Amino acid sequence: PSAKAVSSQYLGTLKVLEDKHEQKNSTQSDKADSLRAAVFQNWLEKKRAFLLELKRAEKKKAEYLRDDTEKKEAVKREEAIASFEAWKKNKRIEAKKLSEKKKLEELKKKEAAQQSEEKTKAAQKAFEKWKERKIEYLREQRKKEKESEKVKKKKEEELAAERKRDSMSAVEKWNEKKEEYIKQKKAEKILERRKQEIQQSKMEERNKKATEEYGRWLEKKERKEQLEKNQKKLQAVCEGEAPSPWSPP
């Protein structure tokens, strides 16, 4: 409980004690209440002194922390200012270096452009000279090619004439061989036809002989069958009559 609540509670108790004292109640009870009130009063004063001392200590601590914070912030501000000044100084130095670098680069670009222009002019002159030499070379080359084409054309005409002669000779030879081949084939066909005719004649002769032989065999067979029939009839007749003193052949 808070100190005020305890204080009011015990003050009420003191008031009751005073009322009791005025009412002249029991002497022992008054003494005990008075003792308790004195002890409480003593404790309350000590507590008030302690709380006051505690507040003073907290106040000193807060003042110390505030002073320390202000000192640290002051140090930070000084450091920030010093850092900013150093940054500005470095910035000016870097800006100066950058400006010098840009000037140097522009100078290099200008020199490079000038050198490039000089190289372009020199290359143009060299190209013109090379072009003149190339045109002269092409003229000479064209002249040589025309002469070479004339020689080549003449050789080709001579070669074509020679090939034509060879071709005509080859055609004549081929025609001669063709006629011989045709004659040979005709002779072979005649021989083949004669051979086939001979074979056909032989075949017809063999067929004719086979037909005649078959007719004779068939006639002989019919005679034999007729004779067997006659013999059977005769035998049947003989079995029914007396045996004849002679028998047919």
Short mmCIF file of all heavy atoms in Angstrom, two decimals, residues 55-78:
data_model
loop_
_atom_site.label_atom_id
_atom_site.label_comp_id
_atom_site.label_asym_id
_atom_site.label_seq_id
_atom_site.Cartn_x
_atom_site.Cartn_y
_atom_site.Cartn_z
N LYS A 55 14.63 10.25 -4.01
CA LYS A 55 14.28 11.22 -5.04
C LYS A 55 15.49 12.08 -5.40
O LYS A 55 15.71 12.39 -6.56
CB LYS A 55 13.13 12.11 -4.58
CG LYS A 55 11.79 11.40 -4.61
CD LYS A 55 10.67 12.35 -4.16
CE LYS A 55 9.31 11.64 -4.19
NZ LYS A 55 8.22 12.55 -3.74
N ARG A 56 16.26 12.51 -4.32
CA ARG A 56 17.45 13.31 -4.59
C ARG A 56 18.44 12.52 -5.46
O ARG A 56 19.05 13.06 -6.40
CB ARG A 56 18.13 13.71 -3.28
CG ARG A 56 17.38 14.75 -2.46
CD ARG A 56 18.30 15.40 -1.44
NE ARG A 56 17.54 16.13 -0.45
CZ ARG A 56 17.21 15.69 0.76
NH1 ARG A 56 17.58 14.45 1.13
NH2 ARG A 56 16.52 16.43 1.59
N ALA A 57 18.63 11.22 -5.12
CA ALA A 57 19.58 10.39 -5.88
C ALA A 57 19.11 10.24 -7.34
O ALA A 57 19.91 10.33 -8.28
CB ALA A 57 19.72 9.01 -5.23
N GLU A 58 17.81 10.00 -7.51
CA GLU A 58 17.29 9.85 -8.87
C GLU A 58 17.42 11.14 -9.66
O GLU A 58 17.72 11.13 -10.85
CB GLU A 58 15.81 9.42 -8.82
CG GLU A 58 15.62 7.98 -8.36
CD GLU A 58 14.15 7.60 -8.26
OE1 GLU A 58 13.30 8.50 -8.42
OE2 GLU A 58 13.86 6.40 -8.03
N LYS A 59 17.20 12.28 -8.95
CA LYS A 59 17.34 13.58 -9.60
C LYS A 59 18.78 13.80 -10.04
O LYS A 59 19.05 14.26 -11.17
CB LYS A 59 16.89 14.69 -8.64
CG LYS A 59 16.84 16.06 -9.30
CD LYS A 59 16.31 17.09 -8.30
CE LYS A 59 16.25 18.46 -8.94
NZ LYS A 59 15.75 19.50 -8.00
N LYS A 60 19.75 13.46 -9.11
CA LYS A 60 21.17 13.60 -9.47
C LYS A 60 21.52 12.69 -10.65
O LYS A 60 22.26 13.09 -11.57
CB LYS A 60 22.05 13.26 -8.26
CG LYS A 60 22.04 14.33 -7.18
CD LYS A 60 22.95 13.91 -6.03
CE LYS A 60 22.95 15.01 -4.93
NZ LYS A 60 23.84 14.61 -3.80
N LYS A 61 20.98 11.47 -10.61
CA LYS A 61 21.26 10.52 -11.69
C LYS A 61 20.71 11.04 -13.02
O LYS A 61 21.37 10.97 -14.07
CB LYS A 61 20.64 9.17 -11.36
CG LYS A 61 20.98 8.08 -12.37
CD LYS A 61 20.38 6.75 -11.93
CE LYS A 61 20.71 5.68 -12.96
NZ LYS A 61 20.13 4.37 -12.59
N ALA A 62 19.48 11.59 -12.95
CA ALA A 62 18.87 12.12 -14.17
C ALA A 62 19.68 13.30 -14.68
O ALA A 62 19.89 13.44 -15.90
CB ALA A 62 17.42 12.53 -13.89
N GLU A 63 20.14 14.20 -13.73
CA GLU A 63 20.96 15.32 -14.15
C GLU A 63 22.28 14.85 -14.77
O GLU A 63 22.74 15.39 -15.77
CB GLU A 63 21.23 16.24 -12.95
CG GLU A 63 20.00 17.00 -12.48
CD GLU A 63 20.26 17.82 -11.22
OE1 GLU A 63 21.40 17.69 -10.69
OE2 GLU A 63 19.36 18.56 -10.79
N TYR A 64 22.87 13.82 -14.15
CA TYR A 64 24.13 13.28 -14.68
C TYR A 64 23.93 12.70 -16.08
O TYR A 64 24.73 12.94 -17.00
CB TYR A 64 24.66 12.20 -13.71
CG TYR A 64 25.86 11.45 -14.26
CD1 TYR A 64 27.13 12.04 -14.25
CD2 TYR A 64 25.71 10.18 -14.80
CE1 TYR A 64 28.22 11.37 -14.77
CE2 TYR A 64 26.79 9.50 -15.31
CZ TYR A 64 28.05 10.09 -15.29
OH TYR A 64 29.12 9.43 -15.81
N LEU A 65 22.83 11.92 -16.23
CA LEU A 65 22.54 11.33 -17.55
C LEU A 65 22.28 12.41 -18.59
O LEU A 65 22.72 12.31 -19.74
CB LEU A 65 21.34 10.39 -17.46
CG LEU A 65 21.54 9.08 -16.67
CD1 LEU A 65 20.23 8.33 -16.52
CD2 LEU A 65 22.59 8.21 -17.35
N ARG A 66 21.55 13.48 -18.15
CA ARG A 66 21.26 14.58 -19.08
C ARG A 66 22.55 15.28 -19.49
O ARG A 66 22.77 15.56 -20.67
CB ARG A 66 20.29 15.57 -18.43
CG ARG A 66 19.84 16.65 -19.40
CD ARG A 66 18.70 17.50 -18.81
NE ARG A 66 19.04 18.10 -17.54
CZ ARG A 66 18.58 17.70 -16.34
NH1 ARG A 66 17.74 16.67 -16.25
NH2 ARG A 66 18.95 18.32 -15.22
N ASP A 67 23.43 15.54 -18.50
CA ASP A 67 24.70 16.18 -18.82
C ASP A 67 25.54 15.29 -19.74
O ASP A 67 26.17 15.77 -20.69
CB ASP A 67 25.48 16.48 -17.53
CG ASP A 67 24.78 17.54 -16.69
OD1 ASP A 67 23.95 18.27 -17.28
OD2 ASP A 67 25.05 17.61 -15.48
N ASP A 68 25.55 13.99 -19.40
CA ASP A 68 26.34 13.05 -20.22
C ASP A 68 25.81 12.99 -21.66
O ASP A 68 26.57 12.98 -22.63
CB ASP A 68 26.30 11.66 -19.58
CG ASP A 68 27.22 10.68 -20.29
OD1 ASP A 68 28.44 10.97 -20.36
OD2 ASP A 68 26.73 9.65 -20.81
N THR A 69 24.48 12.96 -21.76
CA THR A 69 23.85 12.93 -23.10
C THR A 69 24.17 14.19 -23.87
O THR A 69 24.48 14.15 -25.08
CB THR A 69 22.34 12.75 -22.96
OG1 THR A 69 22.05 11.57 -22.21
CG2 THR A 69 21.68 12.65 -24.33
N GLU A 70 24.08 15.34 -23.19
CA GLU A 70 24.39 16.60 -23.86
C GLU A 70 25.85 16.65 -24.31
O GLU A 70 26.15 17.13 -25.41
CB GLU A 70 24.09 17.78 -22.92
CG GLU A 70 22.61 18.00 -22.70
CD GLU A 70 22.35 19.10 -21.69
OE1 GLU A 70 23.35 19.61 -21.12
OE2 GLU A 70 21.17 19.46 -21.47
N LYS A 71 26.76 16.13 -23.44
CA LYS A 71 28.18 16.10 -23.82
C LYS A 71 28.40 15.21 -25.04
O LYS A 71 29.11 15.56 -25.99
CB LYS A 71 29.03 15.60 -22.65
CG LYS A 71 29.16 16.60 -21.53
CD LYS A 71 29.98 16.00 -20.38
CE LYS A 71 30.10 17.00 -19.22
NZ LYS A 71 30.86 16.43 -18.09
N LYS A 72 27.74 14.01 -25.02
CA LYS A 72 27.89 13.09 -26.16
C LYS A 72 27.32 13.69 -27.44
O LYS A 72 27.91 13.57 -28.52
CB LYS A 72 27.18 11.76 -25.86
CG LYS A 72 27.91 10.90 -24.83
CD LYS A 72 27.16 9.60 -24.58
CE LYS A 72 27.91 8.75 -23.55
NZ LYS A 72 27.19 7.47 -23.28
N GLU A 73 26.16 14.36 -27.30
CA GLU A 73 25.57 14.99 -28.48
C GLU A 73 26.45 16.11 -29.00
O GLU A 73 26.58 16.30 -30.21
CB GLU A 73 24.17 15.52 -28.14
CG GLU A 73 23.14 14.42 -27.96
CD GLU A 73 21.77 14.99 -27.55
OE1 GLU A 73 21.70 16.22 -27.33
OE2 GLU A 73 20.80 14.20 -27.47
N ALA A 74 27.06 16.86 -28.03
CA ALA A 74 27.97 17.93 -28.45
C ALA A 74 29.18 17.36 -29.19
O ALA A 74 29.60 17.88 -30.23
CB ALA A 74 28.43 18.73 -27.23
N VAL A 75 29.71 16.24 -28.64
CA VAL A 75 30.85 15.57 -29.30
C VAL A 75 30.44 15.09 -30.69
O VAL A 75 31.19 15.24 -31.67
CB VAL A 75 31.37 14.41 -28.43
CG1 VAL A 75 32.39 13.59 -29.20
CG2 VAL A 75 31.99 14.95 -27.14
N LYS A 76 29.22 14.49 -30.78
CA LYS A 76 28.73 14.01 -32.07
C LYS A 76 28.58 15.16 -33.07
O LYS A 76 28.91 15.03 -34.25
CB LYS A 76 27.40 13.29 -31.90
CG LYS A 76 27.52 11.92 -31.26
CD LYS A 76 26.15 11.26 -31.15
CE LYS A 76 26.28 9.88 -30.48
NZ LYS A 76 24.94 9.24 -30.34
N ARG A 77 28.04 16.32 -32.54
CA ARG A 77 27.88 17.46 -33.43
C ARG A 77 29.22 17.94 -33.94
O ARG A 77 29.39 18.24 -35.12
CB ARG A 77 27.14 18.59 -32.70
CG ARG A 77 25.64 18.39 -32.61
CD ARG A 77 24.93 19.68 -32.20
NE ARG A 77 25.35 20.15 -30.89
CZ ARG A 77 24.78 19.78 -29.73
NH1 ARG A 77 23.78 18.92 -29.73
NH2 ARG A 77 25.22 20.27 -28.59
N GLU A 78 30.20 18.00 -33.03
CA GLU A 78 31.54 18.44 -33.44
C GLU A 78 32.14 17.47 -34.46
O GLU A 78 32.75 17.88 -35.45
CB GLU A 78 32.44 18.56 -32.21
CG GLU A 78 32.07 19.73 -31.29
CD GLU A 78 32.91 19.74 -30.03
OE1 GLU A 78 33.75 18.82 -29.88
OE2 GLU A 78 32.75 20.66 -29.21
#
